[in-house]
Amino acid sequence: IIDRNVKISYREIDIIAKINNITVFIEVKTRTSSIFGGAIDAIGSKKIKLLKKAISHYSIKNFINLNKIRLDFIAIDVDKNTKKAIIQHYPDIF
C-alpha cells in the first residue's frame, strides 16, 4: 500500500497500492443495510468517471505511467445480525 484516503479536490481515492509494476487504485464501499442496495450498487458509471479524473490527476502529478494503472473495486456487505461480512473484489473495472 502506497497511500490511503488521498483527497484530490473533488474526489477521494481510498487505497493506492503497487502490485509488481502496476499502480492499483482501489475504491472500497461498505454497506450495513440493503435499503439503498448492496455495496456493488454504489459504483456506477458516474462514480467511475469521477474516479478516472482523480486517478489521472494523481498519476500526472506523481509521474505514474497511465498505461500501468488499474482501478479495482472492493464491495463489503455486512449483515447487521450476524456481523459477518461478504467481501467481493472486482479487479480492473475501467
Side-chain angles (χ1 to χ4, degrees):
I1 293 177
I2 297 169
D3 215 339
R4 295 181 303 160
N5 303 323
V6 177
K7 294 199 186 299
I8 300 173
S9 67
Y10 51 87
R11 229 9 251 146
E12 179 179 86
I13 300 172
D14 294 327
I15 301 170
I16 302 171
K18 193 86 162 174
I19 300 175
N20 298 321
N21 63 344
I22 302 292
T23 302
V24 183
F25 298 88
I26 304 162
E27 176 71 6
V28 180
K29 285 295 174 195
T30 303
R31 291 285 190 254
T32 56
S33 170
S34 61
I35 293 172
F36 300 108
I40 188 65
D41 299 314
I43 191 87
S45 60
K46 184 177 177 181
K47 179 161 259 194
I48 291 173
K49 184 178 178 180
L50 290 172
L51 284 168
K52 282 182 180 181
K53 276 187 178 181
I55 289 167
S56 178
H57 287 299
Y58 181 90
S59 297
I60 290 166
K61 181 180 174 187
N62 292 282
F63 306 102
I64 296 170
N65 183 340
L66 292 173
N67 294 316
K68 295 191 177 194
I69 64 171
R70 84 175 197 224
L71 173 61
D72 287 12
F73 179 66
I74 296 178
I76 305 170
D77 289 291
V78 180
D79 184 304
K80 280 186 175 181
N81 298 323
T82 64
K83 306 290 188 222
K84 291 190 179 191
I86 297 170
I87 302 169
Q88 295 176 299
H89 177 219
Y90 300 91
D92 204 8
I93 63 169
F94 265 166

